[in-house]
Amino acid sequence: VSVPGTIEQAQAALASGEMTSESLVQACLDRIAAHDAEVGAMLAVDTDKSLAAARSSDARRRAGAPRSLEGIPVVVKDNLCTAGLVTTAGSKALEGFVPLSDATAVRRLREAGAIVVGKTNLDEFGMGSSTTNSAYRVTKNPFDAARTAGGSSGGSAAALAQGFTLGALGSDTGGSVRQPAAFTHTVALKPTYGRVSRSGLIAYASSLDVVGPMGRTVSDVKRLYLAIAGHDEADATSDQRPVDASEPSVSGRTIGVAQEWLEGLDAPIADALDEARATLERAGARVVEVSLPSSGLALATYYVIACCEAASNLARYDGIRYGPRAAANTLTETYVRTRSERLGPEVQRRLLLGTFALSAGYADQYYRRAQAARLRIRHEFDEALRDCDALLGPVSPVGPWRLDEPTPSAVQSYQRDALTVPVNLAGLPALAVPTGFGGTPRLPLGVQLVGRMFEEATLFALGRALEVEPGPSLYLGRDVLTKAIRT
Amino acid sequence: MKVTAAQVQVVAQMARLSVPADRLDAVAAELSAVLDAFDVLATIPLNEASADADAQLARRPDEVVGELGPDQVKLNSQHVNDSSFVVPKVLE
């Protein structure tokens, strides 16, 4: 049995009896065994439990009671808690941590019939955009192993692109599902803040973090989204509005393109955006220019707020309640040694920045001004989306970079996030959609659609209009796929 | 914003981190470069900062939901006794 291309195809094969969930999960496990040493997508594989769950799923199907994701294998970013399965957030500070319960999003996937095959690699606590800041391994791009898969949900994206799974969960604090999706020809949704519960998501920056579904097609991502979205009492910021599962029309929609997002793009990315714009126009949408004048403030605003929140959230990793502890003679020395030994360099840098920005004498200069800038950015999005149904823009100003490039400075590295972080500051939904391959060498390209609060349904409709026709070979797995795009 | 090695030491202490002496200048330079990039925020007047923006996010009272029992809380610690986490002596 080979891994089908999409959840839709797998559901048809399962319904017809062409395959069982057990054979499907086994096929995913076989691909992981064959290819993960090269790709580095996985941090844990739950072989026995996933096969047992698949057998139960097959029994349920035979009993005539399949659920919406019955028997579908998924992988989960390792900053989402999974009951009984080690969850590290890519950090040595959580080495060996076994959660007592599932994150709400994971629990809802299981309740919908999905089977968690394993946990995926990430930049430590989600801090990075290359999945090279993991304490455990580097994730490589399935389309070119010399390049990054993006991050911080690079493990989930690479697992999808490599055919290890049919669906995935990631998290997006500043672009962490959208950018790796654009780098691996996969689809990812950053839901509206409050739409998907954060309960059980290991916190990085609580006012920005969201759990996002990832898949190979827009329809698959919508299926996953509908399974995990909705109110959850365990998350104080969870919204109570009903989830919209409608299929709105694309024709007659107005799409804005922010001029501030077009500066400094790599040529293939600019071309992909032009093509996406033309595709939406052909589908009956009207594309207009809009302005987001404070876009230049977004990066600084994001990093101040994210680092300040991280400085608070990560204070708990002191060796007392979780993870290994450094030997020390005093309590303070225990904290300091454990944190210094167990937290990675990028995490420590952000904690120092956040602590500095919150310290007496600097909180006004940085934190309070960043909060004010955040409100200004939100209002500008509201203004732009008053006349537009959605905004269209690039995901990243650059494509997947080579892993052997000289290490950029922190500022250069942060600048790569300039086009994704504004959406998190505004709390809006955004969908990253692949648009094909381009550049030299030919690499995946993608764009993002940004919607009004809680209007994910509009984004799915627009995303389907943009989606590249896969053709017969696109979803046959990376080996065939890579050959297809190179020839 | 120029951060000094002495400031790095103070901030590291607050963050409960240790920066080796031979790294203090390099870390100070890294932080200075990032804070320089943050200076764009100086264009925002402080009086534009309204009540905490995060306050808009909360949609239910901040109350404990589903407490864990002591035995569950201790499960992921490597240093526990029957009733507590075990830590180095705080008072002599």
Side-chain angles (χ1 to χ4, degrees), chain A residues 418-476:
Chain A
L419 301 172
T420 46
V421 297
V423 177
N424 298 77
L425 291 169
L428 299 169
L431 183 72
V433 187
T435 56
F437 298 84
T440 309
R442 286 172 67 75
L443 292 165
L445 295 167
V447 296
Q448 66 175 330
L449 294 155
V450 182
R452 297 178 185 136
M453 297 284 273
F454 302 101
E455 293 194 7
E456 281 83 355
T458 303
L459 299 185
F460 289 130
L462 293 167
R464 261 196 292 273
L466 281 180
E467 215 165 16
V468 175
E469 272 301 315
S473 65
L474 186 55
Y475 299 126
L476 292 179

Short mmCIF file of all heavy atoms in Angstrom, two decimals, chain A residues 418-476:
data_model
loop_
_atom_site.label_atom_id
_atom_site.label_comp_id
_atom_site.label_asym_id
_atom_site.label_seq_id
_atom_site.Cartn_x
_atom_site.Cartn_y
_atom_site.Cartn_z
N ALA A 418 9.16 39.33 8.14
CA ALA A 418 8.47 40.63 8.04
C ALA A 418 7.07 40.54 7.46
O ALA A 418 6.21 41.36 7.79
CB ALA A 418 9.31 41.58 7.20
N LEU A 419 6.80 39.54 6.61
CA LEU A 419 5.50 39.50 5.93
C LEU A 419 4.48 38.60 6.63
O LEU A 419 3.31 38.61 6.26
CB LEU A 419 5.70 39.03 4.48
CG LEU A 419 6.63 39.91 3.65
CD1 LEU A 419 6.92 39.28 2.30
CD2 LEU A 419 6.03 41.29 3.48
N THR A 420 4.90 37.88 7.62
CA THR A 420 3.95 37.01 8.33
C THR A 420 3.56 37.57 9.70
O THR A 420 2.43 37.39 10.14
CB THR A 420 4.53 35.59 8.52
OG1 THR A 420 5.88 35.69 8.98
CG2 THR A 420 4.49 34.81 7.21
N VAL A 421 4.50 38.25 10.37
CA VAL A 421 4.20 38.68 11.75
C VAL A 421 3.05 39.70 11.86
O VAL A 421 2.34 39.68 12.88
CB VAL A 421 5.46 39.22 12.48
CG1 VAL A 421 6.51 38.13 12.62
CG2 VAL A 421 6.04 40.44 11.80
N PRO A 422 2.81 40.56 10.86
CA PRO A 422 1.72 41.54 11.04
C PRO A 422 0.37 40.86 11.27
O PRO A 422 -0.47 41.37 12.03
CB PRO A 422 1.71 42.32 9.72
CG PRO A 422 3.06 42.14 9.13
CD PRO A 422 3.51 40.78 9.57
N VAL A 423 0.16 39.71 10.63
CA VAL A 423 -1.12 39.01 10.75
C VAL A 423 -1.33 38.53 12.19
O VAL A 423 -2.44 38.59 12.72
CB VAL A 423 -1.17 37.84 9.75
CG1 VAL A 423 -2.46 37.06 9.90
CG2 VAL A 423 -1.01 38.36 8.32
N ASN A 424 -0.27 38.03 12.82
CA ASN A 424 -0.39 37.59 14.21
C ASN A 424 -0.67 38.77 15.13
O ASN A 424 -1.44 38.65 16.08
CB ASN A 424 0.89 36.88 14.65
CG ASN A 424 1.14 35.63 13.84
OD1 ASN A 424 1.59 35.72 12.70
ND2 ASN A 424 0.83 34.47 14.38
N LEU A 425 -0.03 39.90 14.86
CA LEU A 425 -0.28 41.08 15.70
C LEU A 425 -1.75 41.49 15.62
O LEU A 425 -2.33 41.95 16.60
CB LEU A 425 0.62 42.24 15.24
CG LEU A 425 2.12 42.04 15.51
CD1 LEU A 425 2.93 43.10 14.77
CD2 LEU A 425 2.41 42.09 17.01
N ALA A 426 -2.35 41.31 14.44
CA ALA A 426 -3.75 41.71 14.25
C ALA A 426 -4.72 40.61 14.64
O ALA A 426 -5.93 40.86 14.72
CB ALA A 426 -3.97 42.11 12.80
N GLY A 427 -4.24 39.38 14.86
CA GLY A 427 -5.11 38.27 15.26
C GLY A 427 -5.96 37.71 14.14
O GLY A 427 -6.90 36.95 14.38
N LEU A 428 -5.63 38.05 12.90
CA LEU A 428 -6.48 37.68 11.76
C LEU A 428 -6.17 36.28 11.25
O LEU A 428 -5.08 35.76 11.49
CB LEU A 428 -6.26 38.68 10.62
CG LEU A 428 -6.61 40.14 10.94
CD1 LEU A 428 -6.11 41.06 9.84
CD2 LEU A 428 -8.11 40.29 11.12
N PRO A 429 -7.10 35.67 10.49
CA PRO A 429 -6.79 34.37 9.87
C PRO A 429 -5.99 34.58 8.58
O PRO A 429 -6.17 35.59 7.89
CB PRO A 429 -8.18 33.81 9.55
CG PRO A 429 -9.02 35.02 9.30
CD PRO A 429 -8.49 36.11 10.21
N ALA A 430 -5.13 33.61 8.27
CA ALA A 430 -4.36 33.68 7.02
C ALA A 430 -4.10 32.26 6.52
O ALA A 430 -3.84 31.35 7.30
CB ALA A 430 -3.04 34.41 7.24
N LEU A 431 -4.21 32.11 5.21
CA LEU A 431 -4.03 30.79 4.58
C LEU A 431 -2.86 30.86 3.61
O LEU A 431 -2.85 31.71 2.71
CB LEU A 431 -5.31 30.42 3.82
CG LEU A 431 -5.34 29.05 3.15
CD1 LEU A 431 -5.46 27.93 4.19
CD2 LEU A 431 -6.52 28.96 2.16
N ALA A 432 -1.89 29.98 3.79
CA ALA A 432 -0.77 29.89 2.83
C ALA A 432 -1.10 28.80 1.82
O ALA A 432 -1.45 27.68 2.20
CB ALA A 432 0.53 29.55 3.56
N VAL A 433 -1.00 29.17 0.54
CA VAL A 433 -1.38 28.25 -0.53
C VAL A 433 -0.22 28.13 -1.51
O VAL A 433 0.33 29.15 -1.94
CB VAL A 433 -2.62 28.79 -1.30
CG1 VAL A 433 -3.11 27.77 -2.30
CG2 VAL A 433 -3.72 29.16 -0.33
N PRO A 434 0.15 26.90 -1.91
CA PRO A 434 1.22 26.76 -2.90
C PRO A 434 0.75 27.21 -4.27
O PRO A 434 -0.41 27.03 -4.64
CB PRO A 434 1.52 25.26 -2.88
CG PRO A 434 0.31 24.61 -2.32
CD PRO A 434 -0.37 25.61 -1.44
N THR A 435 1.67 27.80 -5.03
CA THR A 435 1.31 28.27 -6.37
C THR A 435 2.19 27.64 -7.44
O THR A 435 2.20 28.10 -8.58
CB THR A 435 1.44 29.81 -6.45
OG1 THR A 435 2.77 30.16 -6.06
CG2 THR A 435 0.44 30.50 -5.56
N GLY A 436 2.96 26.63 -7.07
CA GLY A 436 3.80 25.97 -8.07
C GLY A 436 5.26 26.06 -7.69
O GLY A 436 5.61 26.16 -6.51
N PHE A 437 6.11 26.04 -8.71
CA PHE A 437 7.56 26.02 -8.48
C PHE A 437 8.19 27.08 -9.37
O PHE A 437 7.70 27.39 -10.45
CB PHE A 437 8.11 24.63 -8.83
CG PHE A 437 7.54 23.54 -7.97
CD1 PHE A 437 6.32 22.95 -8.29
CD2 PHE A 437 8.20 23.12 -6.83
CE1 PHE A 437 5.77 21.96 -7.50
CE2 PHE A 437 7.65 22.13 -6.03
CZ PHE A 437 6.43 21.55 -6.35
N GLY A 438 9.30 27.65 -8.91
CA GLY A 438 9.96 28.67 -9.72
C GLY A 438 11.37 28.92 -9.26
O GLY A 438 11.83 28.37 -8.26
N GLY A 439 12.07 29.79 -10.00
CA GLY A 439 13.45 30.14 -9.67
C GLY A 439 14.43 29.09 -10.16
O GLY A 439 14.05 28.11 -10.80
N THR A 440 15.70 29.32 -9.86
CA THR A 440 16.76 28.38 -10.22
C THR A 440 17.60 28.10 -8.97
O THR A 440 18.22 29.04 -8.46
CB THR A 440 17.67 28.97 -11.31
OG1 THR A 440 16.84 29.43 -12.38
CG2 THR A 440 18.65 27.94 -11.81
N PRO A 441 17.61 26.87 -8.47
CA PRO A 441 16.84 25.72 -8.93
C PRO A 441 15.35 25.92 -8.65
O PRO A 441 14.97 26.78 -7.85
CB PRO A 441 17.39 24.58 -8.09
CG PRO A 441 17.82 25.24 -6.81
CD PRO A 441 18.35 26.58 -7.22
N ARG A 442 14.53 25.10 -9.31
CA ARG A 442 13.08 25.23 -9.13
C ARG A 442 12.68 24.75 -7.73
O ARG A 442 12.97 23.63 -7.34
CB ARG A 442 12.35 24.42 -10.20
CG ARG A 442 12.42 25.08 -11.57
CD ARG A 442 11.88 24.19 -12.65
NE ARG A 442 10.44 23.96 -12.53
CZ ARG A 442 9.50 24.85 -12.83
NH1 ARG A 442 9.85 26.06 -13.25
NH2 ARG A 442 8.23 24.56 -12.73
N LEU A 443 12.03 25.66 -7.01
CA LEU A 443 11.66 25.38 -5.61
C LEU A 443 10.21 25.79 -5.39
O LEU A 443 9.65 26.59 -6.16
CB LEU A 443 12.58 26.16 -4.66
CG LEU A 443 14.05 25.72 -4.64
CD1 LEU A 443 14.93 26.75 -3.97
CD2 LEU A 443 14.17 24.36 -3.94
N PRO A 444 9.58 25.25 -4.34
CA PRO A 444 8.18 25.58 -4.08
C PRO A 444 7.96 27.08 -3.85
O PRO A 444 8.80 27.76 -3.27
CB PRO A 444 7.86 24.80 -2.81
CG PRO A 444 8.86 23.70 -2.76
CD PRO A 444 10.10 24.26 -3.38
N LEU A 445 6.81 27.54 -4.31
CA LEU A 445 6.41 28.94 -4.11
C LEU A 445 5.02 28.97 -3.51
O LEU A 445 4.21 28.07 -3.78
CB LEU A 445 6.38 29.68 -5.46
CG LEU A 445 7.71 29.85 -6.18
CD1 LEU A 445 7.46 30.30 -7.62
CD2 LEU A 445 8.59 30.86 -5.46
N GLY A 446 4.72 30.00 -2.74
CA GLY A 446 3.38 30.11 -2.17
C GLY A 446 3.01 31.55 -1.91
O GLY A 446 3.88 32.44 -1.91
N VAL A 447 1.73 31.78 -1.70
CA VAL A 447 1.23 33.11 -1.34
C VAL A 447 0.35 32.96 -0.11
O VAL A 447 -0.02 31.84 0.26
CB VAL A 447 0.41 33.75 -2.48
CG1 VAL A 447 1.28 34.00 -3.70
CG2 VAL A 447 -0.80 32.90 -2.83
N GLN A 448 0.01 34.08 0.54
CA GLN A 448 -0.93 34.00 1.66
C GLN A 448 -2.13 34.90 1.40
O GLN A 448 -2.02 35.95 0.76
CB GLN A 448 -0.27 34.35 2.99
CG GLN A 448 0.21 35.77 3.14
CD GLN A 448 0.74 36.06 4.55
OE1 GLN A 448 0.30 35.49 5.53
NE2 GLN A 448 1.71 36.97 4.63
N LEU A 449 -3.25 34.43 1.90
CA LEU A 449 -4.50 35.19 1.88
C LEU A 449 -4.83 35.54 3.33
O LEU A 449 -4.81 34.66 4.19
CB LEU A 449 -5.62 34.35 1.28
CG LEU A 449 -5.46 34.01 -0.20
CD1 LEU A 449 -6.22 32.73 -0.54
CD2 LEU A 449 -5.96 35.17 -1.06
N VAL A 450 -5.13 36.79 3.59
CA VAL A 450 -5.44 37.24 4.94
C VAL A 450 -6.90 37.66 4.97
O VAL A 450 -7.33 38.45 4.11
CB VAL A 450 -4.54 38.42 5.35
CG1 VAL A 450 -4.85 38.85 6.78
CG2 VAL A 450 -3.07 38.06 5.19
N GLY A 451 -7.65 37.16 5.94
CA GLY A 451 -9.09 37.44 5.97
C GLY A 451 -9.51 38.27 7.17
O GLY A 451 -8.70 38.61 8.03
N ARG A 452 -10.80 38.57 7.19
CA ARG A 452 -11.38 39.23 8.36
C ARG A 452 -11.47 38.22 9.50
O ARG A 452 -11.49 37.01 9.27
CB ARG A 452 -12.78 39.74 8.03
CG ARG A 452 -12.81 40.79 6.95
CD ARG A 452 -14.26 41.19 6.68
NE ARG A 452 -14.36 42.11 5.57
CZ ARG A 452 -15.27 42.03 4.60
NH1 ARG A 452 -16.17 41.07 4.62
NH2 ARG A 452 -15.29 42.93 3.63
N MET A 453 -11.57 38.76 10.73
CA MET A 453 -11.69 37.89 11.90
C MET A 453 -12.80 36.86 11.69
O MET A 453 -13.92 37.22 11.29
CB MET A 453 -12.02 38.71 13.15
CG MET A 453 -10.96 39.70 13.57
SD MET A 453 -9.55 38.94 14.38
CE MET A 453 -10.11 38.91 16.07
N PHE A 454 -12.51 35.61 11.93
CA PHE A 454 -13.46 34.50 11.90
C PHE A 454 -14.05 34.23 10.51
O PHE A 454 -15.06 33.55 10.39
CB PHE A 454 -14.59 34.71 12.94
CG PHE A 454 -14.05 34.84 14.33
CD1 PHE A 454 -13.92 36.09 14.93
CD2 PHE A 454 -13.61 33.73 15.03
CE1 PHE A 454 -13.38 36.22 16.20
CE2 PHE A 454 -13.07 33.85 16.30
CZ PHE A 454 -12.96 35.09 16.89
N GLU A 455 -13.41 34.74 9.46
CA GLU A 455 -13.90 34.46 8.11
C GLU A 455 -12.96 33.51 7.38
O GLU A 455 -12.58 33.73 6.23
CB GLU A 455 -14.12 35.78 7.35
CG GLU A 455 -15.25 36.58 7.96
CD GLU A 455 -15.75 37.72 7.08
OE1 GLU A 455 -15.32 37.82 5.91
OE2 GLU A 455 -16.58 38.50 7.58
N GLU A 456 -12.61 32.43 8.05
CA GLU A 456 -11.78 31.40 7.43
C GLU A 456 -12.45 30.82 6.19
O GLU A 456 -11.76 30.44 5.22
CB GLU A 456 -11.48 30.28 8.43
CG GLU A 456 -10.40 30.58 9.46
CD GLU A 456 -10.88 31.38 10.67
OE1 GLU A 456 -12.06 31.79 10.69
OE2 GLU A 456 -10.09 31.59 11.60
N ALA A 457 -13.78 30.74 6.18
CA ALA A 457 -14.49 30.12 5.05
C ALA A 457 -14.17 30.85 3.75
O ALA A 457 -14.00 30.23 2.69
CB ALA A 457 -15.99 30.13 5.31
N THR A 458 -14.06 32.17 3.81
CA THR A 458 -13.71 32.95 2.62
C THR A 458 -12.31 32.58 2.14
O THR A 458 -12.06 32.44 0.94
CB THR A 458 -13.76 34.46 2.95
OG1 THR A 458 -15.07 34.75 3.43
CG2 THR A 458 -13.44 35.31 1.74
N LEU A 459 -11.41 32.41 3.09
CA LEU A 459 -10.03 32.07 2.70
C LEU A 459 -9.97 30.70 2.04
O LEU A 459 -9.23 30.51 1.06
CB LEU A 459 -9.12 32.09 3.94
CG LEU A 459 -8.99 33.43 4.66
CD1 LEU A 459 -7.96 33.32 5.79
CD2 LEU A 459 -8.61 34.54 3.70
N PHE A 460 -10.72 29.74 2.55
CA PHE A 460 -10.70 28.41 1.92
C PHE A 460 -11.22 28.50 0.48
O PHE A 460 -10.67 27.87 -0.43
CB PHE A 460 -11.56 27.43 2.72
CG PHE A 460 -10.94 27.04 4.05
CD1 PHE A 460 -11.68 27.10 5.22
CD2 PHE A 460 -9.62 26.59 4.12
CE1 PHE A 460 -11.12 26.73 6.44
CE2 PHE A 460 -9.04 26.23 5.34
CZ PHE A 460 -9.80 26.30 6.50
N ALA A 461 -12.28 29.29 0.26
CA ALA A 461 -12.83 29.41 -1.10
C ALA A 461 -11.81 30.05 -2.03
O ALA A 461 -11.57 29.58 -3.15
CB ALA A 461 -14.12 30.24 -1.05
N LEU A 462 -11.18 31.12 -1.57
CA LEU A 462 -10.17 31.80 -2.40
C LEU A 462 -8.95 30.89 -2.60
O LEU A 462 -8.37 30.85 -3.69
CB LEU A 462 -9.74 33.11 -1.73
CG LEU A 462 -10.81 34.19 -1.65
CD1 LEU A 462 -10.37 35.31 -0.70
CD2 LEU A 462 -11.10 34.77 -3.04
N GLY A 463 -8.59 30.17 -1.56
CA GLY A 463 -7.43 29.28 -1.65
C GLY A 463 -7.64 28.19 -2.68
O GLY A 463 -6.72 27.84 -3.43
N ARG A 464 -8.86 27.67 -2.72
CA ARG A 464 -9.14 26.63 -3.73
C ARG A 464 -9.01 27.18 -5.14
O ARG A 464 -8.56 26.48 -6.05
CB ARG A 464 -10.52 26.03 -3.49
CG ARG A 464 -10.46 24.72 -2.74
CD ARG A 464 -11.76 23.96 -2.86
NE ARG A 464 -12.83 24.65 -2.16
CZ ARG A 464 -13.09 24.49 -0.87
NH1 ARG A 464 -12.36 23.66 -0.17
NH2 ARG A 464 -14.07 25.15 -0.30
N ALA A 465 -9.39 28.43 -5.31
CA ALA A 465 -9.27 29.05 -6.64
C ALA A 465 -7.80 29.20 -7.03
O ALA A 465 -7.44 29.14 -8.21
CB ALA A 465 -9.96 30.41 -6.64
N LEU A 466 -6.94 29.39 -6.04
CA LEU A 466 -5.51 29.60 -6.32
C LEU A 466 -4.72 28.31 -6.47
O LEU A 466 -3.65 28.29 -7.07
CB LEU A 466 -4.87 30.38 -5.16
CG LEU A 466 -5.08 31.87 -5.10
CD1 LEU A 466 -4.37 32.42 -3.88
CD2 LEU A 466 -4.54 32.53 -6.37
N GLU A 467 -5.26 27.25 -5.90
CA GLU A 467 -4.51 26.01 -5.80
C GLU A 467 -4.09 25.52 -7.17
O GLU A 467 -4.88 25.49 -8.11
CB GLU A 467 -5.39 24.95 -5.14
CG GLU A 467 -4.67 24.01 -4.28
CD GLU A 467 -5.64 23.25 -3.38
OE1 GLU A 467 -6.86 23.24 -3.63
OE2 GLU A 467 -5.16 22.67 -2.42
N VAL A 468 -2.84 25.11 -7.27
CA VAL A 468 -2.32 24.58 -8.52
C VAL A 468 -2.96 23.21 -8.76
O VAL A 468 -3.05 22.40 -7.86
CB VAL A 468 -0.80 24.41 -8.43
CG1 VAL A 468 -0.24 23.74 -9.67
CG2 VAL A 468 -0.15 25.75 -8.20
N GLU A 469 -3.41 22.99 -9.98
CA GLU A 469 -3.93 21.67 -10.34
C GLU A 469 -2.82 20.66 -10.10
O GLU A 469 -1.75 20.78 -10.69
CB GLU A 469 -4.37 21.65 -11.80
CG GLU A 469 -5.80 22.10 -12.01
CD GLU A 469 -6.80 21.24 -11.26
OE1 GLU A 469 -6.65 20.00 -11.30
OE2 GLU A 469 -7.69 21.79 -10.61
N PRO A 470 -3.03 19.68 -9.26
CA PRO A 470 -1.92 18.81 -8.90
C PRO A 470 -1.41 17.94 -10.04
O PRO A 470 -0.23 17.65 -10.12
CB PRO A 470 -2.49 17.95 -7.77
CG PRO A 470 -3.96 18.07 -7.88
CD PRO A 470 -4.25 19.37 -8.53
N GLY A 471 -2.27 17.54 -10.95
CA GLY A 471 -1.80 16.61 -11.97
C GLY A 471 -1.61 15.24 -11.34
O GLY A 471 -1.66 15.09 -10.12
N PRO A 472 -1.41 14.24 -12.15
CA PRO A 472 -1.40 12.87 -11.63
C PRO A 472 -0.22 12.56 -10.72
O PRO A 472 -0.30 11.68 -9.88
CB PRO A 472 -1.35 12.02 -12.89
CG PRO A 472 -0.82 12.91 -13.95
CD PRO A 472 -1.24 14.30 -13.59
N SER A 473 0.90 13.25 -10.88
CA SER A 473 2.09 12.81 -10.16
C SER A 473 2.38 13.61 -8.89
O SER A 473 3.19 13.20 -8.08
CB SER A 473 3.32 12.91 -11.07
OG SER A 473 3.56 14.27 -11.38
N LEU A 474 1.69 14.76 -8.71
CA LEU A 474 2.12 15.66 -7.66
C LEU A 474 2.09 15.04 -6.28
O LEU A 474 2.94 15.31 -5.44
CB LEU A 474 1.29 16.94 -7.68
CG LEU A 474 1.74 18.03 -6.71
CD1 LEU A 474 3.20 18.38 -6.92
CD2 LEU A 474 0.88 19.26 -6.86
N TYR A 475 1.10 14.21 -6.01
CA TYR A 475 0.95 13.70 -4.66
C TYR A 475 1.42 12.26 -4.51
O TYR A 475 1.04 11.57 -3.59
CB TYR A 475 -0.51 13.83 -4.21
CG TYR A 475 -0.95 15.26 -4.19
CD1 TYR A 475 -2.07 15.65 -4.88
CD2 TYR A 475 -0.21 16.22 -3.51
CE1 TYR A 475 -2.47 16.97 -4.87
CE2 TYR A 475 -0.60 17.54 -3.50
CZ TYR A 475 -1.74 17.90 -4.18
OH TYR A 475 -2.14 19.20 -4.17
N LEU A 476 2.25 11.83 -5.40
CA LEU A 476 2.72 10.45 -5.31
C LEU A 476 3.92 10.32 -4.38
O LEU A 476 4.52 9.27 -4.29
CB LEU A 476 3.06 9.91 -6.69
CG LEU A 476 1.85 9.71 -7.59
CD1 LEU A 476 2.29 9.21 -8.96
CD2 LEU A 476 0.86 8.73 -6.98
#
